[in-house]
Amino acid sequence: MSISGTRTQVRTGRDGGGAAAGTGGTVRTGTRGGTGFRAGAGLGGGVGLGYGSEAEAAETGAGAVGFIRAARELELKRGEFELATQLGHIRTEAGKAGGRRQVRQEEIERLRALDGFPDALRERVRTVGTADGAALLSVSPGRFTRLAKAGFIAPVHFYLNRYRTVVWLYLADDLRSFASWEPWLRTGRLPRGLCAGVDEGDDRRPRNWRGRRIGHLLHESEDPWERAAVAGCVLDAAHLAELVPDVYERAYLNRLAPVLFRAFPESEAARSTVGRLLLADHPEEIRWHSTSLGTFLEEARRVRPAPRAEESTTCTEGVGPPFGGPFGGLLTRLRLGRDRAPAPAVPEGSGE
């Protein structure tokens, strides 16, 4: 089904696929600033959004500001700002020389001039958990969870609570649209065929979140190598080794691979939980992203070859073994980078 209410074209849920390239999103990820998780054993774990004020000052161009200042001027919390850029509510542009993305002053002024600012903008990115989501739909928490597991409601974010339990968050805008477009699913007995997989233990929330996140990142990037890295970042080592046999191409994709989840769990158990959520685990989903990766790779090779060792030492420097485990052997570098990175944003909303 198509997820509505977020100005996206993400194909999720019932068809088991990934995300279309036409989704709304603007957060630039890659090799600069922050810490976080990249999905994919072959693409490793990596770095995320940068918020350093000194770097922002150096990379912002005339008439544009960095994310910290833009969030402050728009009266948004960090998590709210990031989600607003991902959903396309705040237009961003690439920084100078491929630096951090930034927001033009005209865009800030446009948003501040809208009716209801800043509350209206905050409401567009408000997230809720299971309990509040069920109340918003006027259904029981149990029914809400079944609808989400069956793929009718796609989460936009997740976090681990103190018990290392995954807490899924949903856009309130999505739920309001669902309530008006699919009222028949809110009352009465759910059709057996629609939720048969849920009864057998199937849970589409992780793949729907992955599809949505990948769609945001594909929409942002115009470089075919970056798009190939996005498509491949949720595939495990075996699939990547088969699809990208050239070690230099894999190293280059590793360098460009985005961050899907920015928080860095302390414990091994928590890292393992997050790691499982970042890898495609359904045959149709794997096939979808594999096909996308192959398409983007063909285009990328026509545009330019991947850098070789003699051409650029930076493409392989610090990458580690291409397929060294769930996070590609980068945990040490992530721990070192964690001290230099800002603390992860506290998710909006709560739930189970």
Side-chain angles (χ1 to χ4, degrees):
M1 63 174 288
S2 297
I3 303 301
S4 59
T6 62
R7 290 179 171 81
T8 67
Q9 300 289 329
V10 181
R11 296 294 302 176
T12 59
R14 305 301 303 173
D15 58 6
T23 56
T26 49
V27 175
R28 175 65 175 267
T29 58
T31 59
R32 303 174 180 87
T35 60
F37 280 118
R38 288 176 184 161
L43 299 187
V47 292
L49 294 172
Y51 283 81
S53 57
E54 293 182 4
E56 278 193 345
E59 293 180 356
T60 53
V65 300
F67 279 9
I68 291 179
R69 180 174 170 183
R72 184 168 59 247
E73 293 192 17
L74 292 173
E75 301 181 34
L76 295 176
K77 298 177 182 177
R78 176 169 162 179
E80 293 173 335
F81 180 85
E82 289 183 8
L83 189 54
T85 58
Q86 288 182 20
L87 298 175
H89 299 323
I90 301 174
R91 296 191 294 262
T92 67
E93 61 181 30
K96 294 191 299 181
R100 294 180 179 88
R101 297 190 72 82
Q102 54 196 22
V103 182
R104 295 198 63 80
Q105 196 64 46
E106 293 91 333
E107 175 68 359
I108 294 175
E109 294 171 359
R110 180 187 71 83
L111 292 167
R112 290 181 62 89
L114 295 177
D115 291 340
F117 174 85
D119 293 338
L121 181 57
R122 287 176 182 159
E123 182 61 26
R124 296 172 75 181
V125 295
R126 182 167 70 91
T127 57
V128 296
T130 297
D132 290 340
L136 201 155
L137 291 182
S138 299
V139 299
S140 69
R143 189 182 188 93
F144 183 94
T145 299
R146 284 178 63 82
L147 289 170
K149 285 185 174 181
F152 293 105
I153 306 168
V156 73
H157 189 49
F158 74 88
Y159 68 95
L160 300 185
N161 63 17
R162 67 181 65 182
Y163 307 107
R164 300 172 188 163
T165 300
V166 178
V167 179
W168 293 103
L169 298 174
Y170 308 83
L171 275 177
D173 258 1
D174 278 2
L175 301 184
R176 283 189 287 266
S177 297
F178 177 82
S180 61
W181 291 9
E182 308 286 356
W184 62 280
L185 289 173
R186 298 166 56 205
T187 59
R189 185 181 297 274
L190 291 172
R192 182 182 299 272
L194 293 181
C195 295
V198 175
D199 297 330
E200 299 171 1
D202 187 25
D203 187 350
R204 298 175 184 265
R205 290 176 295 183
R207 79 187 74 153
N208 280 357
W209 172 79
R210 287 189 295 266
R212 188 171 201 162
R213 187 78 178 96
I214 293 298
H216 294 155
L217 294 166
L218 287 176
H219 177 78
E220 177 200 62
S221 176
E222 296 181 357
D223 179 76
W225 280 105
E226 287 186 2
R227 292 169 71 82
V230 169
C233 75
V234 293
L235 299 175
D236 64 19
H239 287 93
L240 282 168
E242 179 180 354
L243 294 169
V244 192
D246 186 285
V247 65
Y248 294 107
E249 289 185 342
R250 291 204 304 273
Y252 194 37
L253 294 177
N254 194 316
R255 177 187 175 189
L256 298 174
V259 172
L260 298 187
F261 185 73
R262 211 164 37 81
F264 188 89
E266 293 286 343
S267 70
E268 185 66 31
R271 287 195 294 268
S272 177
T273 298
V274 172
R276 288 193 296 271
L277 295 176
L278 302 186
L279 289 177
D281 59 4
H282 189 276
E284 292 183 15
E285 182 189 12
I286 292 170
R287 185 161 50 249
W288 176 285
H289 294 300
S290 296
T291 301
S292 297
L293 173 59
T295 300
F296 292 136
L297 272 178
E298 289 181 5
E299 180 184 357
R301 289 162 178 158
R302 289 195 298 267
V303 172
R304 67 180 183 276
R308 316 312 268 183
E310 61 275 13
E311 298 171 3
S312 174
T313 58
T314 59
C315 72
T316 56
E317 181 180 353
V319 170
F323 308 112
F327 299 106
L330 290 178
L331 293 181
T332 299
R333 284 185 294 283
L334 285 173
R335 291 190 184 101
L336 293 174
R338 180 180 57 194
D339 296 333
R340 297 189 295 270
V346 177
E348 302 295 323
S350 60
E352 300 298 329

